[in-house]
Amino acid sequence: MSKKPVKATLTTAMIEEQTAAFLKAGGTVEYVGKGKSGQFASSGSKQVNVKAG
């Protein structure tokens, strides 16, 4: 019989600890307005060509 793998769970406390460590190490948080991706618009279209082979 094999045991089921243990699911990795991320708790609020763990996130808070990681965030505090990140900020203490000099990391910064950039707040992005609601409904915005924070990404710059790329010029031109992105077209993917798929060739059957």
Side-chain angles (χ1 to χ4, degrees), residues 1-47:
M1 293 193 316
S2 63
K3 294 182 179 180
K4 289 184 179 180
V6 178
K7 266 190 170 180
T9 56
L10 193 61
T11 64
T12 302
M14 291 170 69
I15 294 171
E16 289 175 353
E17 288 174 14
Q18 291 174 4
T19 304
F22 173 76
L23 294 173
K24 187 176 181 181
T28 59
V29 177
E30 178 182 344
Y31 292 93
V32 179
K34 186 175 180 179
K36 298 187 181 201
S37 68
Q39 298 178 351
F40 297 105
S42 61
S43 60
S45 64
K46 293 183 180 178
Q47 184 174 358

